[in-house]
């Protein structure tokens, strides 16, 4: 019988009972029944735990199975074929039907009625069943096909990546790498001169635009590289299978960076005010000049440095003058340590709650978030060279300002900067600076009279204020390593501050004790009783020694 192109549409799935297909007669998880004339007795294939888990089958079910199932086939021969290769089977009988258990593993092509080509597609194992002879009385052959990897592709990968490895080592003579293709992976081993060369090497190796991931397991270098597949070293030549890059390169040198930040700010302010309030009464005539309400201020305890009050039965004169100077100094020096390529955050201050209402109408709900203030530092260092460091740093200093409150929520004064710089170890960089001056003057006066010299100050109110702000933020990175136990400081801040004793606290008016005296008021009362009891016991023992002799021969009466 000839085979045409439509035979593929006539393929059927092999009958599967959860066991391997065999050429022996009936034996499908059913205990053997009495022999049927003209049939061959099946072999048992269940044992041990399988027998224990086999459900009990009724006699009626057994008879039904023996009536419907004639024979179960399993693989009788094994065929091996390499991936992307094929083998041709020349049969002695015509093939009129073919069934493949897993079409993703192999593909079957017929040439005539007695020739079949088996092509390996993916590595693995599957079953191919052939029906031969006449359809009325067919011969069935089950073949287990094992698809093996293509050794020629693996040899080509090793050769091509070996040439690629030589090219990279020539481009980067100060680094030494090794490319190891393994299955669908490309392992990159070796040592790079610095982080910058490691980044460039992986950028060359990774794919042009494919998916996948570049898995970094080296010394802090994985986070610097973008994801991608291994690049084809020779695009014009043979196309190699895609491989996921596994970075195992190491970069020598110190990888822990300590960032020293100094935030210095000083605010200076000065203000001067002078005002005069005058009340004149003469009979039914009255004159009043009020600028600042000095009379009420004095009654409530005003703060004028120079205040004069000249009163008579008809004239009240109030003169107020004030000059004030103030300054505020801020100095913060946060230090933070992290490894290259990893971000670090630092905060020293506090947080206050900020309520937030979400939703509309009757579905509103209140949530609370917290806003931090104080000294905050966030930086991401990357060691590019032996002592060259790239810093992405964000220092912030903020203080609470009640004057900026909105609906009971506090406001904050913030000085912050965010930037990225390249520095050598130990260098100091001023990443931010501010010099700000504000000056304000106010003059209120009585028309004409207030413009007269000498007399005008008695009919005017004037104020002058000036604010100066200076701010600078300095950063300095250093490569550090952990200290040995003997190098660690033994005295830490606060260890020398002790609690004062009763005499120092109640009589000498001290709130800190002596550094070498560790008084504890929580246990001193009980300890004092123990000491008193020990003194009593010592006195009693001393008196007893007068009556008893203690020697080598024991105690005497």
């Amino acid at each position: 019988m000839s085979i045409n192109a439509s035979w593929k549409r006539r393929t059927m799935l092999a009958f599967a009972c959860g066991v391997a297909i065999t050429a022996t007669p009936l034996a499908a998880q059913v205990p053997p029944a009495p022999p049927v004339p003209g049939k061959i007795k099946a072999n048992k294939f269940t044992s041990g735990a399988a027998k224990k888990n086999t459900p009990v089958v009724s006699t009626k079910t057994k008879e039904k199975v023996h009536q419907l199932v004639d024979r179960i086939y399993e693989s009788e021969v094994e065929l091996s074929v390499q991936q992307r290769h094929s083998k041709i089977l020349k049969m002695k009988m015509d093939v009129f039907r073919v069934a493949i258990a897993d079409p993703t593993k192999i593909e079957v092509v017929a040439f005539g009625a007695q020739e079949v080509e088996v092509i390996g597609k993916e590595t693995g194992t599957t079953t191919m069943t052939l029906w031969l002879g006449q359809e009325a009385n067919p011969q069935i052959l089950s073949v287990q096909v094992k698809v093996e990897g293509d050794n020629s592709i693996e040899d080509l990968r090793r050769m091509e990546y070996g040439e690629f490895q030589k090219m990279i080592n020539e481009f980067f003579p100060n680094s030494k790498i090794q490319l190891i293709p393994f299955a669908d992976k490309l392992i990159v081993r070796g040592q790079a001169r610095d982080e910058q060369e490691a980044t460039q090497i992986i950028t060359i190796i990774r794919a042009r635009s494919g998916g996948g991931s570049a898995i970094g397991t080296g010394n802090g270098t994985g986070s610097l590289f973008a994801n991608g597949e291994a690049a084809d070293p020779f695009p014009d030549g043979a196309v190699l299978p895609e491989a996921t890059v596994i970075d195992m390169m190491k970069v020598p040198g110190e990888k822990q960076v300590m960032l020293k930040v100094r935030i210095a700010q000083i605010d200076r302010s000065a203000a001067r005010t002078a005002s005069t309030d005058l009340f004149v009464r003469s009979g039914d005539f009255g004159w009043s000049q009020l600028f600042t309400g000095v009379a009420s201020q004095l009654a409530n305890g005003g703060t004028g440095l120079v205040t004069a009050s000249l009163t008579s039965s008809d004239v009240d004169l109030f003169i107020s003058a004030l000059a004030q100077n103030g300054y505020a100094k801020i100095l913060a020096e946060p230090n933070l340590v992290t490894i290259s390529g990893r971000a670090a955050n630092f905060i020293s201050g506090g947080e206050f709650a900020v309520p937030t209402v979400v939703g509309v109408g009757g579905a509103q709900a209140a949530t609370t978030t917290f806003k931090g203030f104080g000294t905050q530092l966030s930086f991401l260092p990357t060691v590019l060279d032996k002592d060259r460091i790239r810093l992405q740093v964000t220092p912030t200093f903020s203080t609470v300002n009640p004057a900026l409150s909105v609906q009971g929520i506090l406001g904050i004064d913030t000085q912050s900067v965010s930037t990225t710089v390249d520095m050598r170890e130990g260098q100091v960089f001023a990443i931010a600076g501010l010099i700000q001056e504000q000056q304000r003057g106010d003059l209120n006066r009585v028309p004409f009279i207030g413009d007269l010299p000498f007399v005008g100050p008695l009919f005017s109110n004037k104020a002058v204020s000036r604010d100066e702000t200076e701010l600078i933020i300095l950063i300095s990175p250093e490569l550090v390593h952990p200290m040995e136990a003997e190098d660690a400081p033994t005295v830490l801040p606060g260890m020398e501050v002790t609690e004062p004793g009763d005499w120092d606290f109640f009589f000498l008016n001290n709130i800190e004790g002596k550094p070498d005296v560790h008084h504890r008021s929580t246990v001193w009362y009980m300890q004092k009783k123990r000491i008193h009891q020990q003194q009593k016991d010592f006195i009693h023992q001393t008196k007893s020694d007068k009556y008893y002799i203690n020697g080598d021969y024991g105690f005497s009466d």
Side-chain angles (χ1 to χ4, degrees):
M1 178 183 294
S2 60
I3 300 178
N4 50 38
S6 64
W7 70 271
K8 292 185 179 180
R9 295 192 296 269
R10 299 170 55 195
T11 57
M12 58 179 293
L13 295 176
F15 183 75
C17 296
V19 297
I21 301 176
T22 178
T24 57
L26 177 63
Q29 300 181 359
V30 180
V36 180
K39 305 297 180 181
I40 302 176
K41 184 179 180 181
N43 295 327
K44 297 181 179 180
F45 59 87
T46 57
S47 62
K51 290 183 178 180
K52 295 180 180 179
N53 297 330
T54 302
V56 178
V57 183
S58 64
T59 304
K60 184 177 180 180
T61 304
K62 298 177 185 178
E63 294 177 355
K64 181 178 179 180
V65 171
H66 283 283
Q67 291 175 0
L68 298 178
V69 181
D70 180 62
R71 183 173 298 177
I72 297 177
Y73 294 86
E74 70 174 5
S75 300
E76 300 172 300
V77 65
E78 182 176 322
L79 176 65
S80 297
V81 61
Q82 287 189 353
Q83 187 181 11
R84 299 183 182 87
H85 291 72
S86 66
K87 286 186 178 181
I88 297 178
L89 303 180
K90 184 173 180 57
M91 315 302 294
K92 295 181 179 181
M93 304 176 65
D94 293 345
V95 179
F96 64 87
R97 187 183 299 126
V98 178
I100 304 172
D102 188 358
T104 62
K105 303 299 181 184
I106 62 173
E107 181 179 355
V108 178
V109 180
F111 298 99
Q114 297 182 354
E115 292 182 356
V116 176
E117 182 183 19
V118 181
I119 303 173
K121 297 172 65 177
E122 297 292 339
T123 57
T125 304
T126 186
T127 302
M128 178 182 64
T129 306
L130 305 173
W131 281 261
L132 302 92
Q134 300 296 327
E135 293 189 16
N137 186 20
Q139 298 292 325
I140 301 177
L141 176 64
S142 181
V143 182
Q144 183 177 359
V145 183
K146 181 180 181 181
V147 182
E148 299 176 347
D150 189 355
N151 296 331
S152 60
I153 295 294
E154 295 298 325
D155 295 340
L156 178 61
R157 292 182 67 203
R158 293 189 183 94
M159 181 181 65
E160 299 288 14
Y161 283 124
E163 295 295 329
F164 194 24
Q165 171 185 316
K166 293 179 182 178
M167 295 168 56
I168 294 178
N169 288 327
E170 290 179 0
F171 291 153
F172 304 95
N174 296 322
S175 301
K176 184 66 176 179
I177 69 162
Q178 183 180 9
L179 302 181
I180 305 174
F182 177 74
D184 61 342
K185 306 291 189 299
L186 178 62
I187 302 175
V188 184
R189 296 181 56 189
Q191 178 174 299
R193 177 177 178 268
D194 50 44
E195 297 280 358
Q196 188 173 11
E197 284 199 3
T199 305
Q200 295 173 351
I201 291 173
I202 293 297
T203 303
I204 294 175
I205 293 175
R206 65 185 177 87
R208 303 168 294 281
S209 60
S213 59
I215 304 174
T217 58
N219 190 5
T221 61
S223 60
L224 299 177
F225 309 137
N227 296 335
E229 303 287 345
D232 188 352
F234 299 96
D236 297 333
V239 178
L240 300 181
E242 291 185 348
T244 303
V245 177
I246 300 179
D247 174 28
M248 297 183 63
M249 283 195 303
K250 296 184 180 297
V251 180
E254 295 289 347
K255 297 302 169 188
Q256 296 186 123
V257 181
M258 180 177 69
L259 186 66
K260 294 182 177 180
V261 179
R262 284 179 291 175
I263 303 174
Q265 177 179 341
I266 185 169
D267 297 330
R268 295 186 180 92
S269 62
R272 290 176 294 172
T273 61
S275 62
T276 302
D277 291 346
L278 179 63
F279 300 89
V280 178
R281 292 181 298 274
S282 177
D284 296 333
F285 175 79
W287 165 273
S288 64
Q289 170 198 317
L290 298 176
F291 286 108
T292 58
V294 176
S296 61
Q297 292 181 9
L298 293 177
N300 297 326
T303 57
L305 296 181
V306 177
T307 301
S309 178
L310 304 177
T311 63
S312 67
S313 60
D314 297 325
V315 179
D316 293 331
L317 177 64
F318 298 92
I319 301 176
S320 176
L322 175 65
Q324 61 180 9
N325 292 80
Y327 75 92
K329 176 183 177 183
I330 297 173
L331 180 62
E333 297 187 12
N335 295 335
L336 195 58
V337 179
T338 185
I339 64 175
S340 176
R342 298 297 179 90
N345 298 281
F346 171 87
I347 180 171
S348 176
E351 294 181 338
F352 58 89
V354 179
T356 304
V357 178
V358 296
V360 294
Q364 291 183 349
T367 62
T368 302
T369 59
F370 289 87
K371 179 70 174 179
F373 65 91
T375 302
Q376 304 177 57
L377 175 63
S378 174
F379 85 108
L380 174 63
T382 303
V383 180
L384 301 179
D385 204 341
K386 297 298 182 181
D387 60 345
R388 189 161 65 96
I389 305 170
R390 175 167 296 169
L391 292 175
Q392 181 179 347
V393 59
T394 306
T396 303
F397 185 86
S398 57
T399 56
V400 176
N401 186 355
L404 301 179
S405 300
V406 178
Q407 296 181 355
I409 301 175
L410 298 176
I412 57 176
D413 295 328
T414 304
Q415 294 83 30
S416 177
V417 64
S418 179
T419 185
T420 302
V421 295
D422 285 352
M423 302 177 61
R424 296 286 181 182
E425 179 188 8
Q427 290 182 332
V428 180
F429 206 105
I431 63 173
L434 172 66
I435 298 178
Q436 181 178 354
E437 295 183 1
Q438 295 181 348
Q439 183 171 338
R440 179 180 178 180
D442 295 320
L443 175 61
N444 299 319
R445 62 191 183 280
V446 177
F448 305 111
I449 302 177
D451 295 331
L452 298 177
F454 303 108
V455 181
L458 298 177
F459 300 91
S460 64
N461 175 21
K462 49 185 175 294
V464 176
S465 62
R466 182 183 180 89
D467 297 321
E468 298 178 356
T469 301
E470 297 181 21
L471 169 69
I472 188 170
I473 300 177
L474 305 176
I475 63 170
S476 177
E478 291 186 8
L479 296 176
V480 297
H481 58 83
M483 292 185 297
E484 300 296 336
E486 57 272 11
D487 297 333
T490 57
V491 179
L492 301 178
M495 294 181 62
E496 295 183 347
V497 178
T498 61
E499 184 182 3
D502 293 341
W503 178 264
D504 293 332
F505 180 76
F506 290 108
F507 296 98
L508 300 182
N509 204 27
N510 293 329
I511 60 174
E512 291 187 11
K514 299 177 182 178
D516 55 344
V517 178
H518 296 278
H519 175 80
R520 293 172 57 191
S521 59
T522 54
V523 297
W524 174 243
Y525 177 73
M526 297 300 299
Q527 186 68 18
K528 183 169 58 175
K529 293 183 63 176
R530 294 191 187 99
I531 295 175
H532 181 66
Q533 185 64 35
Q534 291 176 358
Q535 292 175 350
K536 291 177 60 177
D537 294 341
F538 177 76
I539 296 174
H540 179 72
Q541 182 67 28
T542 304
K543 292 180 178 180
S544 300
D545 290 342
K546 299 179 179 180
Y547 304 100
Y548 298 94
I549 298 176
N550 187 0
D552 298 336
Y553 301 99
F555 299 94
S556 62
D557 294 334

